[in-house]
């Protein structure tokens, strides 16, 4: 991740990052008391239920992060009538 951030910075490409606990909480996947394996399974279940896709653990995490970003943008733009 550090290499990607450095490259984006050098190329003046804006980026954001989000902690796993933040997107898991927003998507109600949970963090506290769950093992890593349980969290990964919950992410896969979330994607299966929301998008009817069966994906790997890493793909599920990526799709969950994307879903979080979309939800975050919608929340920020909810009252942007300009």
């Amino acid at each position: 991740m550090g290499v990607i951030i450095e490259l984006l910075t050098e190329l003046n490409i804006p980026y954001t990052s989000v902690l796993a606990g933040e997107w898991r909480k927003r998507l109600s996947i949970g963090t506290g008391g769950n093992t890593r394996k349980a969290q990964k399974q919950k992410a896969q279940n979330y994607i299966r239920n929301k998008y009817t896709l069966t994906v790997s653990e890493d793909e599920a995490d990526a799709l969950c992060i994307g879903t979080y970003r979309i939800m975050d943008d919608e929340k920020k733009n909810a009252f942007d009538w300009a």
Side-chain angles (χ1 to χ4, degrees):
M1 186 170 173
V3 172
I4 294 171
I5 290 172
E6 184 172 338
L7 178 64
L8 294 172
T9 301
E10 287 178 13
L11 296 174
N12 293 318
I13 298 173
Y15 66 91
T16 60
S17 61
V18 60
L19 297 173
E22 189 174 339
W23 63 259
R24 285 185 179 129
K25 182 178 179 182
R26 171 75 65 80
L27 301 181
S28 300
I29 292 172
T31 54
N34 291 320
T35 64
R36 182 180 184 276
K37 184 74 176 166
Q39 291 171 351
K40 295 285 188 177
Q41 185 63 54
K42 285 183 178 183
Q44 286 177 299
N45 292 341
Y46 179 88
I47 295 302
R48 187 177 307 110
N49 293 332
K50 184 163 183 71
Y51 300 110
T52 62
L53 296 172
T54 301
V55 297
S56 72
E57 292 177 350
D58 291 338
E59 291 168 330
D61 285 351
L63 289 166
C64 284
I65 292 167
T67 301
Y68 166 84
R69 267 307 271 146
I70 290 167
M71 291 169 70
D72 195 46
D73 284 348
E74 288 172 351
K75 181 179 176 184
K76 288 178 184 175
N77 296 324
F79 298 101
D80 183 11
W81 298 311

